[in-house]
Amino acid sequence: MGLIAFGAGGVPDPEIANEPQTSIYTDWESVYRDNIVGIYQLAFRRVGNAADAEDLAEDVLIRTLKTLRFPAPVHNVRAYLVKTAKTVLADHWRNHYAAQNVALELEQLPPEGLAGPSSSVASDRAERVLALLPDQFRRVLELRFLKGYSVREVAHELGVTESNARVLQFRALRKAAELEGEVLG
Amino acid sequence: MTSSAVDRVAKFVDDLLQGRRPRRFKASQEEAEAMAAAAGLVAARAGADLPDKAALDRIHRRLSDRLDESPRIDSRFTRRVWLRTLGTAAAAAAVGVVLDEVLTHQSSPGPAVTEEAVLTPDGGQWRPVAAVTQIPEGHAMPVSTGSLDAIVVNDGGQISAVSGTCTHMGCKLQPDDADKRLTCPCHQTAFAWSGKVLYYRLKSAPASLPRIESRVRDGQVELFIV
């Protein structure tokens, strides 16, 4: 049986620490079962909302599965899923927000499949970024994103106007984006 | 940085924090970067980036529907095969009922675009599409059968079904249970659960959604379809 060929350029060969039971996928159900949660998480981290993450995860799976021929080696499939996710997410940002160069460095899929980790990747990264931010920026983002304060409540807490709070939020996010590049780099 | 950029990003962040899908808009590079950072922070909240079971079920169902059409994929476990098997059995068991239905519907309005149209396909059969328990009261569920998209509705315990395709340009309708309507993602047209047009922003009113005959047998919702 022919294995998958992913076209020119080849596929990175990630080291999988803990592969699912079998190293060959023989049907789409097992690709789905092992990877859907990881793909959803990758998507969620780049869009921040469940509705888009669901659509994008489905899109990544469908595009990958339509190209695959079974049986297919697990590590190839997973690498291809990540590669497809990158394309799908870049398209999403371009089509929804006309954004060309949003940083989309995607980590490899967690190897554990459905029993996968919670949001530890996202929270580790956020923690590192927050720790590097100047005090006031960190405060705004912590109140808003971790404690769920509204802009009005943030303004009250910091003793600034609401429009100032919005500006602070914008600048803090810009700075966080910059730092995220460094943290990842 | 302009005040509109600040406001657009603030609105985007609000949407994310409220769990809403944000609107599309044309963002500058710096807005987009801020927005991507916001998405990362939202994901950092405990458990936020994990899908719930309903989302996984929906994805699985849609994958089954779409992949089954591809001959490359092993389709032994996909839903359409399941439908075919059960559908045939149900039809064989209820052949009298099926004939009755066919005769009854011969006088129905022909084209499916007229008011109160009922879809009556040639060679239609009763085919199970969902368990009744999957569609609680006040809930509408899209189903896809390979030949058509439908939406099965449970309105106060009464099960009915309409076409799940917008009569304007064929986009897939999305249920909005809170308002008991089906909305079109393409041009914001909204239909009632009965198929009647509730809202449109088009030059002329689109047709009502064709109804699809439905019934409940042995805990299964069945539609009269091909």
Side-chain angles (χ1 to χ4, degrees), chain A residues 28-29 32 40-41 44-45 47 49 52 54-55 58 62 66 96-97 119 123 144-145 166 170 174, chain B residues 10 14 17 21-22 24-25 27 30 33 45 47-51 56 58 60 62 66 72-73:
Chain A
W28 74 264
E29 292 270 2
Y32 165 85
Y40 180 97
Q41 288 180 306
F44 192 100
R45 281 174 219 143
V47 296
N49 76 94
D52 282 334
E54 180 180 332
D55 289 351
E58 179 184 338
I62 200 90
K66 285 204 162 172
H96 283 64
Y97 308 111
S119 41
S123 49
R144 196 87 175 88
F145 289 90
R166 272 191 285 272
F170 183 82
R174 293 270 305 132
Chain B
D14 270 341
L17 290 174
R21 192 199 295 263
R24 295 176 177 216
F25 62 91
E30 58 173 13
E33 284 170 11
R45 296 190 297 181
D49 64 350
L50 287 170
L56 291 177
R58 282 192 297 271
H60 186 263
R62 290 190 297 250
R66 293 172 69 181
R72 287 175 190 173
I73 305 296

Side-chain angles (χ1 to χ4, degrees), chain B residues 125-210:
Chain B
Q125 292 183 346
W126 287 106
R127 295 182 186 275
V129 292
V132 181
T133 50
Q134 284 177 279
I135 313 167
E137 280 193 30
H139 189 64
M141 189 175 90
V143 297
S144 183
T145 67
S147 61
L148 57 83
D149 289 320
I151 294 183
V152 180
V153 171
N154 182 340
D155 192 2
Q158 194 67 38
I159 299 280
S160 62
V162 289
S163 161
T165 306
C166 184
T167 52
H168 176 224
M169 297 295 277
C171 300
K172 272 191 177 187
L173 297 172
Q174 298 168 343
D176 171 358
D177 288 351
D179 290 332
K180 288 189 166 193
R181 35 170 76 188
L182 310 170
T183 54
C184 177
C186 296
H187 300 101
Q188 285 90 51
T189 305
F191 298 87
W193 281 354
S194 64
K196 208 175 132 199
V197 177
L198 292 176
Y199 172 80
Y200 62 94
R201 288 198 316 190
L202 307 167
K203 281 183 185 160
S204 57
S208 302
L209 299 173

Side-chain angles (χ1 to χ4, degrees), chain B residues 84-129:
Chain B
R84 204 176 296 136
T85 318
L86 286 187
T88 312
V95 66
V97 179
V98 172
L99 280 177
D100 280 353
E101 291 292 337
V102 171
L103 293 173
T104 311
H105 291 306
Q106 277 176 349
S107 56
S108 297
V113 290
T114 50
E115 188 76 15
E116 293 295 301
V118 180
L119 171 67
T120 313
D122 294 343
Q125 292 183 346
W126 287 106
R127 295 182 186 275
V129 292

Side-chain angles (χ1 to χ4, degrees), chain A residues 20-57:
Chain A
Q21 300 131 347
T22 160
S23 59
I24 298 280
Y25 286 130
T26 55
D27 57 58
W28 74 264
E29 292 270 2
S30 37
V31 177
Y32 165 85
R33 204 174 45 239
D34 279 353
N35 299 291
I36 183 62
V37 171
I39 291 289
Y40 180 97
Q41 288 180 306
L42 285 187
F44 192 100
R45 281 174 219 143
R46 299 319 184 284
V47 296
N49 76 94
D52 282 334
E54 180 180 332
D55 289 351
L56 293 166

